[in-house]
Amino acid sequence: MTKETLFAVLNDLDDAHITQAEAVPPKKRGWRVLAGLAACLAIVVGALFWRGHGAALPLSAASTGITVRYGSPSSTISLSTDLAWLTEEELFTEFDTAIFLGTVTRIDNIVLDFNGSEDYRALAQIQVEKAYRGPYQAGDTVTVLLPCPITEGVWVEDTSVISQLAVGTRGILMPMVYDETSVREQNGAILALRDIADCGLPDGERFAFLETADGLTFARWAYPSIQDAASLEEVGDYILEMTAS
């Protein structure tokens, strides 16, 4: 929003409100002024969010026939995935994943439109605290493509762990790092994945360990060696053992 737009919003205040404010005793006038400013800020912030919803993300020439925009599903939907079985060891070797501990600083739901065929995902920004494997270091901010939107009214099979992600969540993630060969083709369209994220989770169940209000959450059935783990520190020690060789 430009400063001119902001001034226009402020100038729309009714003269009657200004006259009423002048009649308020000095001791109460400060509160009225603060309340008025708060209302104006609410209008401005609301306009900013409104303009962001539906805005398109810029894509490179490597992406064709697709648009990506900010937004959530407009109604309740149910999606399914195909979760291939992997052993505990294969979870660390089947995919070339980075592994890091960090905190979620932002989440944006997005709509992928492949020539009219829509898919719903989310982007999470993670502030890295500790790196176990991969190119990222402490202090980096990494954008991770999630396999499902983070919103009510959406149920996606095999994403019960990552669906609990929220701003402020601390956890260990194991995403695949995107390069020029990381593409998704659907309905005649091509998305170069690194146009929208640095990396992405292979699925929403087995590649995240999250601290939640209910304790440590992860796919315990997939990691029998640490199925009783209660802290990220225990998971971190386990990861160091699994990636030592």
Side-chain angles (χ1 to χ4, degrees), residues 125-147:
Q125 290 187 2
I126 314 294
Q127 186 75 31
V128 178
E129 177 182 330
K130 180 177 182 179
Y132 295 95
R133 184 173 74 184
Y136 309 120
Q137 301 177 359
D140 289 346
T141 297
V142 180
T143 301
V144 183
L145 178 63
L146 306 182

Side-chain angles (χ1 to χ4, degrees), residues 62-236:
S63 296
T64 60
I66 180 171
T67 60
V68 181
R69 65 182 188 275
Y70 293 107
S72 299
S74 58
S75 60
T76 300
I77 63 172
S78 177
L79 304 174
S80 62
T81 58
D82 183 14
L83 194 62
W85 172 257
L86 294 173
T87 66
E88 193 170 353
E89 290 73 21
E90 287 173 337
L91 289 169
F92 289 91
T93 59
E94 187 72 13
F95 303 100
D96 184 17
T97 60
I99 308 176
F100 54 82
L101 167 68
T103 300
V104 180
T105 59
R106 180 182 179 127
I107 297 177
D108 291 295
N109 287 322
I110 57 174
V111 182
L112 312 179
D113 188 337
F114 294 89
N115 276 330
S117 176
E118 292 188 343
D119 192 8
Y120 304 96
R121 302 297 176 100
L123 298 174
Q125 290 187 2
I126 314 294
Q127 186 75 31
V128 178
E129 177 182 330
K130 180 177 182 179
Y132 295 95
R133 184 173 74 184
Y136 309 120
Q137 301 177 359
D140 289 346
T141 297
V142 180
T143 301
V144 183
L145 178 63
L146 306 182
C148 62
I150 306 299
T151 185
E152 295 181 0
V154 177
W155 178 84
V156 184
E157 184 179 2
D158 296 325
T159 60
S160 63
V161 174
I162 205 62
S163 292
Q164 299 181 56
L165 206 67
V167 173
T169 298
R170 186 168 177 262
I172 295 175
L173 300 182
M174 298 171 55
M176 296 175 58
V177 179
Y178 293 147
D179 59 21
E180 66 278 359
T181 67
S182 304
V183 298
R184 179 179 171 186
E185 299 184 30
Q186 181 177 323
N187 199 33
I190 299 175
L191 172 62
L193 292 171
R194 67 177 182 178
D195 277 356
I196 61 174
D198 300 308
C199 50
L201 296 178
D203 65 57
E205 197 74 22
R206 301 170 295 180
F207 295 87
F209 306 81
L210 307 178
E211 286 182 343
T212 71
D214 297 323
L216 184 66
T217 297
F218 67 98
R220 296 179 185 273
W221 53 269
Y223 297 93
S225 296
I226 55 168
Q227 61 182 351
D228 296 324
S231 68
L232 289 176
E233 288 70 24
E234 293 176 72
V235 175

